[in-house]
Amino acid sequence: MSNLPKIRWGIVATGMISEWFVEDLVLDWPEGKVEHIVQAIGTSKIEKGQEFASKYCPKQSPTIYGSYEEVYHDADVDIVYIGTPHAFHYQNCMEAISAGKNVLCEKAFTLNAKQTKEIFDAAREKNVYVAEAMWLRHRPLYLELQRLLHEEKIIGDVFRVFSDFASGVDIASLPTTSRYRNLALGAGSLLDIGVYSLTWVRLALGGTAPAQAEKPLILAAQSHEEGVEVTTSAILQYSSSGKQGIVTSTTKSLGAPGEVFSVIHGTNGYIEIEGRTPSAPDSFTVWKKHEGNPDRACFPREMCRGKKYEFPTLGRGFTHEAEHTALDILEGRKESSIMPWAETVYIMEIMDEIRRQGNTVYPGE
């Protein structure tokens, strides 16, 4: 029997993202400080939930429910993980909060900032923990790069960053019920994958708490097919400093595994980030300006000193997010120490403005 403190999870929905999360949740991890128990699974069919449990958490015996509501009201569940499509997050979160449950909800957190703020208001009133499950921010690679950029200033003052996420999805070939095609489910590249591009830009140009962070001026364009946004490009301009972030995403093309998907430019060098996808980075390389090199706007590779930082991934990479969330709850916090409410609102407001300029509207907005 483990002597570690326990956190009992209720899993809402049994789609791919929940599969990945639960697989990592039950991994043996010698460095782990919490024992994670899959206490309950909510799904549309009992048989589906039973199959999910036997495949993804075979050493545990969760209670299988034929509805999400039963998970919310299970007294043995400490926190609910919500892995439904974006458009259902608002309702799922509000119902879980109403039942007095702590919540970890997948990204994009909601369809818009208005919904996000209402969820946090409800959580504050009920005095429960709620966090956006942006797993990227919990990865050791992300946290170390953040430290190097803003504490050590390893490439000097960052003034520009570019980040792209390309994920090939043939929208026209999909059924109208698919989450990639159905606007009622929040379809579109920005909320699904562009949020990762935006997260890398926020990492590079951040360094201040979201409450004090400057709101950027935004110039954005989006393209649509079958009524669904398939390509987004946006420039974020920070007027006080002149810093710029370039955010792009598309479902019309597939990025090559291992390719550089983000480049951060500073006054003393640049950093390339690469990996399987922008949501699952493997490494970054710091290219520092060679000492004695004349000041100039660019730093040719042959005149730089490159150092590669590699980070092996445990499982699929959700373990750190689950661990940090569990520790937040055990230590009595109501917001994530890594993804606080104000940060989620900050990102949602930027995506709202990109969608406004790009003419992407979801049903009910």
Side-chain angles (χ1 to χ4, degrees):
M1 294 292 290
S2 170
N3 292 322
L4 297 174
K6 296 178 174 58
I7 286 291
R8 301 167 298 178
W9 293 83
I11 308 299
V12 166
T14 52
M16 181 184 70
I17 196 69
S18 293
E19 294 171 359
W20 291 358
F21 182 79
V22 169
E23 275 185 318
D24 279 6
L25 196 64
V26 299
L27 279 178
D28 290 328
W29 186 30
E31 298 176 26
K33 299 178 180 178
V34 179
E35 181 182 353
H36 299 274
I37 298 169
V38 182
Q39 183 69 33
I41 296 172
T43 183
S44 56
K45 295 181 180 178
I46 294 290
E47 296 77 17
K48 190 176 179 181
Q50 291 171 336
E51 182 180 348
F52 178 96
S54 64
K55 186 173 182 179
Y56 298 106
C57 49
K59 295 181 181 180
Q60 301 196 13
S61 302
T63 302
I64 310 299
Y65 293 117
S67 71
Y68 302 157
E69 290 75 12
E70 290 171 287
V71 176
Y72 306 148
H73 290 92
D74 186 329
D76 293 325
V77 169
D78 298 314
I79 182 168
V80 172
Y81 169 81
I82 294 173
T84 54
H86 320 310
F88 297 131
H89 290 176
Y90 176 77
Q91 178 183 348
N92 298 150
C93 283
M94 293 298 270
E95 290 176 348
I97 291 167
S98 178
K101 283 291 184 280
N102 300 306
V103 175
L104 178 65
C105 179
E106 266 306 329
K107 63 85 212 156
F109 190 66
T110 55
L111 293 181
N112 53 54
K114 179 178 181 293
Q115 291 182 340
T116 292
K117 292 173 183 176
E118 289 178 4
I119 288 172
F120 293 150
D121 285 343
R124 189 178 293 109
E125 185 176 337
K126 275 287 190 176
N127 195 34
V128 295
Y129 177 95
V130 176
E132 179 181 8
M134 175 47 82
W135 62 321
L136 172 59
R137 294 195 184 227
H138 295 264
R139 288 173 173 262
L141 181 152
Y142 190 94
L143 296 172
E144 176 61 7
L145 180 53
Q146 189 173 49
R147 187 189 69 80
L148 290 173
L149 283 172
H150 301 298
E151 293 182 24
E152 290 196 13
K153 291 190 174 293
I154 195 166
I155 57 170
D157 293 325
V158 174
F159 61 86
R160 177 181 181 271
V161 56
F162 165 78
S163 187
D164 176 62
F165 199 146
S167 176
V169 179
D170 185 0
I171 301 293
S173 69
L174 297 175
T176 55
T177 53
S178 167
R179 77 174 185 89
Y180 294 107
R181 185 171 177 175
N182 189 344
L183 278 180
L185 298 181
S189 82
L190 178 62
L191 265 61
D192 194 36
I193 57 177
V195 66
Y196 289 111
S197 300
L198 183 56
T199 296
W200 286 111
V201 167
R202 175 69 175 138
L203 165 70
L205 302 182
T208 57
Q212 288 79 45
E214 178 184 357
K215 294 291 178 64
L217 299 174
I218 298 170
L219 179 61
Q222 294 183 308
S223 300
H224 301 77
E225 293 181 5
E226 306 294 327
V228 175
E229 175 263 306
V230 294
T231 301
T232 288
S233 298
I235 298 174
L236 279 56
Q237 168 83 22
Y238 291 81
S239 300
S240 66
S241 62
K243 295 179 180 180
Q244 290 187 356
I246 302 168
V247 176
T248 60
S249 63
T250 185
T251 52
K252 286 177 64 63
S253 176
L254 186 64
E259 71 176 3
V260 173
F261 56 77
S262 185
V263 181
I264 303 170
H265 292 99
T267 53
N268 197 39
Y270 64 95
I271 296 174
E272 295 176 323
I273 310 170
E274 56 267 325
R276 290 168 289 166
T277 68
S279 60
D282 297 319
S283 61
F284 60 84
T285 303
V286 177
W287 297 93
K288 296 184 73 172
K289 183 180 176 182
H290 193 281
E291 290 182 9
N293 190 42
D295 288 339
R296 55 191 297 176
C298 61
F299 309 94
R301 193 178 296 258
E302 64 272 15
M303 299 180 70
C304 296
R305 293 171 292 139
K307 180 179 180 181
K308 190 168 187 174
Y309 295 73
E310 297 183 86
F311 294 78
T313 300
L314 176 66
R316 292 185 178 273
F318 290 87
T319 307
H320 304 287
E321 174 186 72
E323 190 82 354
H324 292 156
T325 301
L327 290 172
D328 280 339
I329 291 171
L330 289 168
E331 292 166 13
R333 283 187 282 272
K334 301 305 176 184
E335 299 185 36
S336 168
S337 54
I338 289 174
M339 192 67 185
W341 295 351
E343 185 67 22
T344 293
V345 171
Y346 185 88
I347 295 297
M348 289 304 311
E349 287 179 339
I350 290 175
M351 292 199 294
D352 280 359
E353 177 59 18
I354 291 173
R355 288 198 300 114
R356 187 191 69 77
Q357 293 186 29
N359 243 352
T360 298
V361 180
Y362 291 115
E365 287 191 311

